[in-house]
């Protein structure tokens, strides 16, 4: 440390401080005051330094004294260790000298033990008999006290023998044989305790003291087991029959009694009572509810707290019931037994009827599910498989009944509105509704699965229904005299298809859950609707095919030489259709409108096809005009018929009959320039009309050569091709094949 440098720095700082204090003349008067202040500060600092130095010196002195004391202690300890080491040299010799004393001590200890147990040694037979008598009389506490005295005497004597290094095995065998009956008494008492504990739930209601006595004995034996285990860890000696583990035995007895009580609720077999499982489950519910009430209110105060007896009993009932139900399931279930088990497990067991009963309020999470998810899934799968088999059987029988009704020669019955139908849709959806009502009592997830399965089976029924309808139609058209009510049953089928669609939509409305739906279920529902909608359209075609088969020859007579001077073809067509339409009145309103609309479409197609068949040619304008006017008149006659039958068709904008009128105007056109305009308008209005169809129409006029027709059509189609809209709606011309 550079003292001189520090001193210079201090002087410089002091000079700077003095300069700062004496900057003004008036401050010179305060010089004495400044001196006194600095003097006081100096004295204070010096005092502090002296105190600090004194404190440091005192600490050093104390430390030196402690080091001196420690040095003395170390020297003393070294001396003591040396003396101890010297003493160890003499210990083996001393041990040999005291060997006789040790033997005398052991002998003395044995004599003392023998003297203490002398009264028991002489009275073992009498004590054993007395203990047995107390057990038979139910005086279990007295019996146990006597047993404990006998066992303690035996164990003390055996322990003394065990401590002898060169013990004789014969002495040990002799002693065990002498106390042999003591173990028999212990087993007898254990047997009696098992009997008492097996009746716990009944006994605790009338004589709870009996249960308390048994538990006191068990607790004493648990403490004896604990003492024996501790002595074994120290001396490797374990008395005969230890550890008894009577608490473990007690819990096993209680669990066995629970299992027997649950199995005892099965009072019937399937062969004697079809409702055996429902009865068994209900009796089981009542038993468990009542037993757990007893456990919670009566057993709790009787058992020691560390037994946690309420939770233990809940676990026992849960596990025993789980094993019992698994055994029932493994033995096989039938029919609605699957529903009974699933509903009981999912709802009854976990709900307010049992575990969540206000008097119990047991949290099911603490014991886990009654059956594993794999078992539940297997049950649900088997239940759905049985449901599917039932559907297939029922639907097959329903279809056979339908087919029989078609051929039995009896007209179908109508409902209160006069619409023909059969009971098939109602029967099928009643079955479905019953199944879904049942699954709804189990879970929404199972209900959704059952509904998807039901939709799939109804769709498959639709496929079978279609095949049967086609066979029915083929058989009828082979010989129309064999099926007198073909039209009536085709009306019934069309109505049934609509009923299937409506019932399916109602089913979805009642049971569909968006949180369970997925692409598969949505596809299945849409496929079901499409199946029956397509089937309805196909059946409607068969229905009209029957009518138009009778009109085939009359449509052949249209636009022929005979037709020019006769109204018979169209009159006959109208009369025949009117007759059939009277039967169609038994169609439901939506079906009736659809069928009549399709009939109108078919009439227009057949009429247009007749116009394009080239059966006649009109050479003069007068002939063309007369033919055109006749066509317009017949179209109006046909339209009047359809409007009379279905008034809603009167205002139909896209009526196919209007197409015939457009063709008639082309036929009537006098001027070729106007004809070109008419053809342009026709092509614009019906973009899908083909060149061949127009060619045939122009050939009907008879005033154009083939080359003129080709030239005119080429110009028209070339001119309209650049303006053709690809998104146009197809017209009736798309359905006409020549």
């Amino acid at each position: 440390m550079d003292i001189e440098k520090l001193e210079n720095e201090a002087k410089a700082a002091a000079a700077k401080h003095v300069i700062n204090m004496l900057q003004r003349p008036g401050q010179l008067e305060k010089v004495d005051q400044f001196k006194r202040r600095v003097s006081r500060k100096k004295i204070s600092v010096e005092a502090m330094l002296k105190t600090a130095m004194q404190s440091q010196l005192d600490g050093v002195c104390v430390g030196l004294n402690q080091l001196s004391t420690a040095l003395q202690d170390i020297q003393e300890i070294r001396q003591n260790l040396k003396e101890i080491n010297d003493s160890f040299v003499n210990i083996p010799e001393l041990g040999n000298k005291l060997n006789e004393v040790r033997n005398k001590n052991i002998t003395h200890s044995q004599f003392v033990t023998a003297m203490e147990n002398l009264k028991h040694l002489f009275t073992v037979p009498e004590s054993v008999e007395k203990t047995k008598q107390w057990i038979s009389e139910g005086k279990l506490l007295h019996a146990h006290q006597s047993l404990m005295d006998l066992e303690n005497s035996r164990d003390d004597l055996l322990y003394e023998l065990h401590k002898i290094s060169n013990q004789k095995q014969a002495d040990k065998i002799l002693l065990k044989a002498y106390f042999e009956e003591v173990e028999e008494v212990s087993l007898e008492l254990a047997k009696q305790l098992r009997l008492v504990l097996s009746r716990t739930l009944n006994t605790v209601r009338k004589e709870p003291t009996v249960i308390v006595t048994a538990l006191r004995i068990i607790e004493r034996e648990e403490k004896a087991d604990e003492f024996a285990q501790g002595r074994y860890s120290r001396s490797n000696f374990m008395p005969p029959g230890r550890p008894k583990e009577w608490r473990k035995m007690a819990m096993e007895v209680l669990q066995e009694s629970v299992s027997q009580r649950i199995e005892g609720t099965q009072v019937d077999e399937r062969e004697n009572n079809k409702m055996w499982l429902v009865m068994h489950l209900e009796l089981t519910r009542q038993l468990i509810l009542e037993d757990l009430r007893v456990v919670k209110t009566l057993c709790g105060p009787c058992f020691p707290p560390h037994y946690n007896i309420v939770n233990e009993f809940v676990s026992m009932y849960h596990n025993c019931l789980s094993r019992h139900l698994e055994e029932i399931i493994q033995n096989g279930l039938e029919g609605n037994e699957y529903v009974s088990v699933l509903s009981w497990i999912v709802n009854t067991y976990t709900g307010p009827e049992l575990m969540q009963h206000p008097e119990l309020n047991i949290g099911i999470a603490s014991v886990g599910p009654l059956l594993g998810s794999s078992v539940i899934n297997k049950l649900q799968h088997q239940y759905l498989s049985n449901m599917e088999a039932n559907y297939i059987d029922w639907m097959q029988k329903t279809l056979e009944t339908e087919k029989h009704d078609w051929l039995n020669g009896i007209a179908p019955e109508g409902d209160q509105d006069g619409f023909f139908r059969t009971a098939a849709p109602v029967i099928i959806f009643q079955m479905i509704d019953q199944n879904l009502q049942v699954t709804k009592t189990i879970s929404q997830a199972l209900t959704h699965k059952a509904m998807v399965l039901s939709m799939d089976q109804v769709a498959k029924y639709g496929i079978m229904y279609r095949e049967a309808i086609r066979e029915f139609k083929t058989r009828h058209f082979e010989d129309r005299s064999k099926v007198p009510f073909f039209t009536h049953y085709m009306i019934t089928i069309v109505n049934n298809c609509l009923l299937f669609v409506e019932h399916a939509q109602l089913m979805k409305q009642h049971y569909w859950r968006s949180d369970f739906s997925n692409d598969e279920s949505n596809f299945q529902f849409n496929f079901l609707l499409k199946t029956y909608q397509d089937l309805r359209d196909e059946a409607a075609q068969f229905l009209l095919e029957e009518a138009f088969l009778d009109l085939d020859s009359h449509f052949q007579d249209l636009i022929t030489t005979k037709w020019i001077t006769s109204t018979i073809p169209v009159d006959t067509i109208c009369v025949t259709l009117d007759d059939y339409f009277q039967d169609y009145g038994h169609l439901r309103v939506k079906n009736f409108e659809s069928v009549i609309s399709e009939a109108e479409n078919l009439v227009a197609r057949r009429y247009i096809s007749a116009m394009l068949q080239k059966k006649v040619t009109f050479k003069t304008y007068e002939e063309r005009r007369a033919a055109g006017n006749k066509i317009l008149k017949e179209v109006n006659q046909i339209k009047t018929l359809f409007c009379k039958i279905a008034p809603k068709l009167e205002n139909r904008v896209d009526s196919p009959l209007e197409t015939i009128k457009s063709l008639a105007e082309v036929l009537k056109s006098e001027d070729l320039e106007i004809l070109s305009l008419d053809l342009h308008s026709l092509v614009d209005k019906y973009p899908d009309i083909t060149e061949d169809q127009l060619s045939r129409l122009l050939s009907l006029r008879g005033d154009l050569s083939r080359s003129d027709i080709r030239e005119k059509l080429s110009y028209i189609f070339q001119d309209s091709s650049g303006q053709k809209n690809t998104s146009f709606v197809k017209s009736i011309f798309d359905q006409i094949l020549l």
Side-chain angles (χ1 to χ4, degrees):
M1 183 181 293
D2 193 348
I3 301 298
E4 186 178 353
K5 183 179 179 181
L6 292 174
E7 185 178 356
N8 291 334
E9 290 178 353
K11 287 180 179 181
K16 187 176 180 181
H17 184 60
V18 169
I19 292 170
N20 290 333
M21 288 192 300
L22 302 175
Q23 288 181 352
R24 294 188 299 275
Q27 291 176 330
L28 290 173
E29 297 175 358
K30 299 180 180 180
V31 169
D32 293 336
Q33 183 179 350
F34 290 152
K35 285 182 178 180
R36 287 193 297 271
R37 184 187 302 168
V38 170
S39 296
R40 286 196 300 270
K41 188 173 182 181
K42 180 180 178 184
I43 293 170
S44 175
V45 171
E46 287 176 351
M48 290 173 62
L49 285 172
K50 288 179 180 179
T51 302
M53 289 299 294
Q54 185 63 41
S55 177
Q56 291 292 328
L57 289 173
D58 291 343
V60 169
C61 291
V62 170
L64 290 173
N65 289 333
Q66 289 178 346
L67 287 173
S68 177
T69 303
L71 180 60
Q72 293 175 4
D73 291 341
I74 290 171
Q75 291 174 349
E76 184 178 349
I77 290 170
R78 181 184 294 116
Q79 182 63 31
N80 291 337
L81 288 174
K82 183 178 180 183
E83 292 175 359
I84 291 171
N85 190 41
D86 293 340
S87 299
F88 280 157
V89 175
N90 301 323
I91 284 178
E93 183 181 353
L94 183 61
N96 294 330
K97 291 180 179 179
L98 294 175
N99 190 38
E100 186 177 352
V101 176
R102 184 190 301 111
N103 293 335
K104 293 293 183 180
N105 180 60
I106 293 173
T107 304
H108 176 73
S109 175
Q110 292 175 355
F111 287 155
V112 169
T113 303
M115 289 295 293
E116 289 176 352
N117 295 283
L118 196 58
K119 62 177 180 177
H120 297 299
L121 287 173
F122 288 115
T123 60
V124 167
E126 292 81 359
S127 297
V128 168
E129 290 302 321
K130 196 172 185 179
T131 304
K132 288 183 177 179
Q133 183 178 353
W134 278 334
I135 292 173
S136 62
E137 293 175 357
K139 299 177 180 179
L140 301 184
L141 278 178
H142 293 293
H144 184 253
Q145 184 60 52
S146 176
L147 175 64
M148 289 287 285
D149 292 339
L150 290 170
E151 287 182 337
N152 288 337
S153 299
R154 177 199 62 188
D155 297 344
D156 290 343
L157 292 171
L158 287 173
Y159 181 60
E160 292 299 328
L161 283 177
H162 176 75
K163 289 193 294 184
I164 301 174
S165 57
N166 55 349
Q167 59 175 301
K168 296 180 180 180
Q169 193 66 22
D171 294 341
K172 190 175 182 180
I173 294 172
L174 178 63
L175 192 57
K176 282 186 176 181
Y178 186 71
F179 283 94
E180 184 178 8
E181 289 186 290
V182 174
E183 290 190 40
E184 294 179 4
V185 173
S186 178
L187 294 176
E188 186 70 24
L189 181 59
K191 183 179 178 181
Q192 190 64 27
L193 289 175
R194 291 178 67 91
L195 181 62
V196 170
L197 291 171
S198 66
R199 301 171 180 171
T200 297
L201 294 176
N202 294 325
T203 306
V204 78
R205 306 181 196 198
K206 301 175 183 179
E207 296 181 277
T209 54
V210 175
I211 302 300
V212 173
T213 298
L215 293 172
R216 288 176 63 187
I217 293 171
I218 291 171
E219 283 299 288
R220 290 177 183 176
E221 288 295 337
E222 285 294 299
K223 290 180 180 178
D225 283 347
E226 186 178 349
F227 175 77
Q229 291 281 10
R231 187 161 59 179
Y232 177 76
S233 62
R234 296 189 303 271
S235 62
N236 203 30
F237 169 76
M238 181 62 72
R242 295 285 177 190
K244 293 185 179 181
E245 297 182 330
W246 278 9
R247 179 180 171 183
K248 180 180 177 182
M249 172 203 72
M251 303 310 291
E252 291 174 352
V253 170
L254 291 176
Q255 181 153 344
E256 185 179 345
S257 68
V258 167
S259 179
Q260 290 174 353
R261 290 176 71 83
I262 290 175
E263 291 174 359
T265 58
Q266 184 173 341
V267 295
D268 274 320
E269 297 291 338
R270 182 183 291 117
E271 293 76 13
N272 303 326
N273 185 355
K274 294 297 182 182
M275 299 297 290
W276 72 276
L277 185 56
V278 174
M279 184 182 297
H280 176 39
L281 292 174
E282 177 57 20
L283 291 176
T284 302
R285 183 194 70 80
Q286 294 176 6
L287 172 79
I288 295 176
L289 180 60
E290 182 60 28
D291 285 356
L292 291 182
R293 280 174 178 166
V294 172
V295 168
K296 198 166 186 179
T297 56
L298 299 178
C299 289
C302 292
F303 281 75
H306 61 272
Y307 274 57
N308 196 16
I309 195 60
V310 176
N311 291 334
E312 286 291 336
F313 259 111
V314 170
S315 179
M316 288 177 193
Y317 274 99
H318 182 82
N319 295 331
C320 291
L321 181 59
S322 176
R323 289 192 293 271
H324 183 61
L325 288 176
E326 285 182 357
E327 183 179 347
I328 290 176
I329 293 169
Q330 288 174 359
N331 291 335
L333 299 175
E334 296 178 1
N336 287 330
E337 292 174 0
Y338 287 97
V339 178
S340 300
V341 170
L342 285 170
S343 179
W344 199 89
I345 292 170
V346 176
N347 298 320
T348 304
Y349 181 72
T350 59
E353 295 179 78
L354 190 50
M355 287 302 190
Q356 291 298 314
H357 191 277
E359 295 185 30
L360 299 181
N361 197 23
I362 297 170
I364 197 66
S366 60
V367 292
L370 189 58
L371 292 179
S373 57
S374 60
V375 179
I376 296 293
N377 291 337
K378 186 177 179 181
L379 276 176
Q380 291 183 354
H381 176 73
Q382 189 60 48
Y383 172 62
L384 293 175
S385 298
N386 292 345
M387 185 187 296
E388 182 178 9
N390 289 335
Y391 278 146
I392 293 172
D393 183 49
W394 293 342
M395 290 181 181
Q396 188 64 46
K397 290 178 180 178
T398 301
L399 184 58
E400 291 299 325
T401 303
E402 289 277 293
K403 291 163 69 174
H404 178 266
D405 291 343
W406 295 342
L407 303 174
N408 65 2
I410 301 175
E413 297 180 359
D415 59 14
Q416 65 272 17
D417 297 317
F419 302 139
F420 289 158
R421 68 174 186 179
T422 61
V426 175
I427 291 174
I428 289 174
F429 278 94
Q430 278 181 348
M431 289 190 302
I432 293 173
D433 186 67
Q434 289 171 2
N435 284 326
L436 295 182
Q437 288 286 355
V438 170
T439 57
K440 200 172 181 181
T441 64
I442 301 172
S443 70
Q444 287 293 343
L446 182 61
T447 301
H448 188 76
K449 291 179 182 178
M451 186 172 66
V452 173
L453 171 65
S454 302
M455 290 189 297
D456 178 58
Q457 290 303 312
V458 175
K460 289 179 179 178
Y461 177 80
I463 295 171
M464 295 191 298
Y465 201 27
R466 174 183 284 112
E467 293 301 319
I469 293 168
R470 288 175 178 174
E471 290 177 9
F472 179 47
K473 174 246 184 181
T474 302
R475 179 170 181 175
H476 171 67
F477 285 119
E478 287 176 354
D479 185 353
R480 296 174 67 185
S481 63
K482 289 186 177 180
V483 185
F485 295 104
F486 176 81
T487 299
H488 297 73
Y489 277 107
M490 289 310 300
I491 292 172
T492 302
I493 290 168
V494 173
N495 285 339
N496 280 355
C497 291
L498 184 59
L499 283 173
F500 272 108
V501 172
E502 291 176 352
H503 281 302
Q505 290 170 336
L506 283 174
M507 178 182 71
K508 181 179 180 181
Q509 182 180 343
H510 288 159
Y511 296 104
W512 190 269
R513 285 283 298 269
S514 57
D515 48 339
F516 289 105
S517 63
N518 51 36
D519 293 341
E520 180 185 358
S521 56
N522 290 327
F523 170 80
Q524 196 63 56
F525 180 74
N526 292 330
F527 178 71
L528 184 153
L529 295 183
K530 186 176 185 304
T531 298
Y532 284 95
Q533 287 166 349
D534 292 348
L535 183 55
R536 185 196 70 160
D537 295 340
E538 187 174 348
Q541 289 293 333
F542 294 162
L543 182 64
L544 292 173
E545 189 176 340
E546 164 80 357
F548 279 80
L549 190 64
D550 293 336
L551 298 175
D552 190 60
S553 61
H554 300 292
F555 277 111
Q556 293 294 331
D557 290 339
L558 292 175
I559 320 300
T560 60
T561 304
K562 184 173 69 172
W563 167 81
I564 296 174
T565 58
S566 173
T567 62
I568 293 175
V570 169
D571 291 341
T572 305
I573 290 171
C574 289
V575 170
T576 305
L577 287 176
D578 189 34
D579 181 52
Y580 273 101
F581 289 166
Q582 298 306 314
D583 291 334
Y584 294 173
H586 295 290
L587 286 165
R588 300 184 71 192
V589 175
K590 190 174 181 179
N591 288 332
F592 179 77
E593 292 175 357
S594 175
V595 169
I596 296 303
S597 177
E598 182 61 23
E600 184 184 21
N601 191 40
L602 280 173
V603 170
R605 281 163 50 193
R606 297 294 294 271
Y607 203 105
I608 293 172
S609 296
M611 291 178 67
L612 304 181
Q613 290 294 330
K614 299 182 180 180
K615 297 176 183 177
V616 65
T617 303
F618 304 109
K619 300 296 184 181
T620 66
Y621 169 70
E622 286 73 17
E623 290 178 354
R624 291 194 294 275
R625 185 178 63 181
N629 289 334
K630 183 176 175 60
I631 292 172
L632 291 174
K633 180 182 177 182
E634 291 180 346
V635 168
N636 288 330
Q637 181 183 352
I638 295 170
K639 191 169 184 179
T640 300
L641 169 66
F642 280 101
C643 290
K644 181 186 77 171
I645 298 298
K648 290 185 179 180
L649 294 178
E650 186 174 0
N651 300 323
R652 184 178 175 185
V653 179
D654 58 343
S655 173
L657 295 176
E658 295 299 320
T659 305
I660 302 175
K661 291 182 178 182
S662 298
L663 298 180
E665 292 298 331
V666 171
L667 182 62
K668 286 170 55 181
S669 183
E670 180 179 5
D671 187 83
L672 294 180
E673 292 298 327
I674 296 176
L675 175 63
S676 296
L677 292 175
D678 289 340
L679 290 173
H680 271 292
S681 299
L682 188 65
V683 172
D684 290 341
K685 190 174 182 180
Y686 305 106
D688 55 346
I689 190 171
T690 64
E691 190 171 341
D692 179 58
Q693 290 168 345
L694 273 182
S695 175
R696 288 170 178 269
L697 177 62
L698 293 178
S699 297
L700 186 64
R701 289 175 56 88
D703 62 342
L704 294 173
S705 65
R706 291 183 179 179
S707 60
D708 291 338
I709 292 173
R710 284 197 298 270
E711 181 181 351
K712 191 174 287 294
L713 293 179
S714 175
Y715 171 73
I716 290 171
F717 278 99
Q718 183 178 3
D719 187 46
S720 62
S721 62
Q723 305 175 4
K724 187 173 290 187
N725 184 4
T726 56
S727 62
F728 63 85
V729 179
K730 292 182 178 181
S731 69
I732 192 171
F733 288 104
D734 186 66
Q735 305 170 28
I736 297 174
L737 301 175
L738 301 172

